[in-house]
């Protein structure tokens, strides 16, 4: 699995907002009338299936969930990615296992990027370990969005937050892509606001301070600074003040 996979169907910035891909096709979309769009989800023409799925990226209708799950197995990657995003809007426990299985198997990076976004929106604990695995092993664009999606699930349960912070710290310290490290910093900051001040919390703050002082990328430094400010941790605030006085940030 390589970042080149994304170039098959995505020419814009691979780290852009997940639903930005809709903008270029918005003028092609049929009027958002579910009675007219639902039959197109099973149309023999793949372009019609794709456009129908894209409509449900903005339109919610429970009747669309079953056919959208079926479209996750479509031969066309454009259809699969559109179905994944649509299931991120039309969330259902029934879709979680299908999305997780596709995340394991799909060769296309853009499809996997849509899947991790959808899993985060679904907020189902079954997605926690697959998303942690994606943060550690997938291509950079998927790692970035998996880090954000993890927060949406992990913040709901203390034990999930604890399990999630360690791989996020690893990503913040070791990921080769600055945008991914920055998203890990943001995610760690979000989780620190949900857990008590304990050993896990302290390690997370240490990692944010380390990124603030040692990361070579100014964007990552800024993300770490923002995370520390939002958490309001005294050690973090003191370090920010000292660095500002020395003109280092």
């Amino acid at each position: 699995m390589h970042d080149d996979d994304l170039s098959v169907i995505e020419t814009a910035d691979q780290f852009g907002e997940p639903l930005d891909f809709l903008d270029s096709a918005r003028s092609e979309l049929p009027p958002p009338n579910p009675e007219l769009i639902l039959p197109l989800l099973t149309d023999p023409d793949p372009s019609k299936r794709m456009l129908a799925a894209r409509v449900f990226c903005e339109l919610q209708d429970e009747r669309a969930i079953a056919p959208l799950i079926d479209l996750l197995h479509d031969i066309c990657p454009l259809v699969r990615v559109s179905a994944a995003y649509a299931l991120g809007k039309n969330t259902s426990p029934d879709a979680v296992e299908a999305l997780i299985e596709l995340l394991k198997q799909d060769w296309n990076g853009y499809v996997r990027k849509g899947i991790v976004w959808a899993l985060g929106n679904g907020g189902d604990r079954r997605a926690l370990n697959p998303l942690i695995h994606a943060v550690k092993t997938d291509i950079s664009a998927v790692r970035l969005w998996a880090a954000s999606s993890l927060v949406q699930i992990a913040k709901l349960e203390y034990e999930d937050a604890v399990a999630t912070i360690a791989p996020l710290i690893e990503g913040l310290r070791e990921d080769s892509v600055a945008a991914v490290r920055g998203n890990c910093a943001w995610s760690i900051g979000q989780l620190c606001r949900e857990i008590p001040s304990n050993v896990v919390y302290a390690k997370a703050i240490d990692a944010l301070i380390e990124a603030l002082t040692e990361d070579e990328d100014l964007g990552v430094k800024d993300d770490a600074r923002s995370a520390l400010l939002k958490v309001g941790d005294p050690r973090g605030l003191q370090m920010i003040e000292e660095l500002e006085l020395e003109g280092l940030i």
Side-chain angles (χ1 to χ4, degrees):
M1 296 179 180
H2 303 288
D3 286 305
D4 292 343
D5 292 341
L6 294 179
S7 65
V8 176
I9 54 176
E10 181 176 300
T11 56
D13 180 6
Q14 62 174 312
F15 300 119
E17 291 291 330
L19 292 181
D20 282 351
F21 81 106
L22 285 177
D23 294 336
S24 62
R26 200 175 299 275
S27 61
E28 304 175 46
L29 300 177
N33 181 339
E35 302 302 329
L36 298 177
I37 305 303
L38 282 167
L40 297 180
L41 290 172
T42 55
D43 194 277
D45 185 344
S47 65
K48 291 182 179 179
R49 297 196 300 273
M50 176 191 69
L51 290 174
R54 288 186 176 191
V55 169
F56 287 103
C57 292
E58 299 182 331
L59 184 67
Q60 292 181 306
D61 192 309
E62 289 185 358
R63 296 173 295 174
I65 292 173
L68 286 170
I69 292 173
D70 290 338
L71 290 183
L72 293 176
H73 307 290
D74 200 279
I75 192 172
C76 175
L78 286 167
V79 175
R80 297 198 303 276
V81 70
S82 299
Y85 284 130
L87 288 168
K89 286 290 187 178
N90 293 267
T91 58
S92 167
D94 296 335
V96 174
E97 289 297 339
L99 287 166
I100 290 173
E101 198 58 33
L102 190 62
L103 180 61
K104 297 176 184 177
Q105 299 178 0
D106 204 289
W107 61 268
N108 190 284
Y110 198 7
V111 175
R112 299 196 307 280
K113 177 182 170 184
I115 292 169
V116 298
W117 182 81
L119 288 171
N121 275 15
D124 193 298
R125 293 184 71 191
R126 288 175 289 174
L128 192 73
N129 286 332
L131 288 173
I132 289 175
H133 183 73
V135 166
K136 292 181 176 181
T137 65
D138 215 311
I139 62 172
S140 55
V142 179
R143 296 198 304 274
L144 183 144
W145 286 105
S148 300
S149 291
L150 271 171
V151 173
Q152 295 175 262
I153 299 172
K155 68 181 181 180
L156 302 176
E157 298 284 346
Y158 171 73
E159 57 266 37
D160 292 342
V162 170
T164 299
I165 284 178
L168 288 174
I169 289 175
E170 181 181 346
L172 175 59
R173 287 175 170 163
E174 300 180 8
D175 202 285
S176 60
V177 178
V180 178
R181 298 198 303 277
N183 237 28
C184 287
W186 176 86
S187 297
I188 291 169
Q190 294 293 309
L191 291 178
C192 282
R193 297 166 69 181
E194 304 292 334
I195 64 174
S197 180
N198 55 20
V199 174
V200 175
Y201 171 90
K203 288 182 178 179
I205 296 299
D206 287 343
L208 289 173
I209 292 174
E210 179 183 318
L212 175 67
T213 57
E214 298 182 15
D215 200 284
E216 297 179 354
D217 186 89
L218 293 177
V220 177
K221 287 178 177 289
D222 189 60
D223 288 329
R225 177 181 179 274
S226 177
L228 288 166
L229 286 172
K230 289 180 180 178
V231 173
D233 179 81
R235 287 194 299 126
L237 295 178
Q238 181 180 353
M239 179 59 69
I240 291 172
E241 183 178 0
E242 291 176 2
L243 293 174
E244 288 177 341
L245 288 173
E246 295 175 13
L248 298 177
I249 59 172

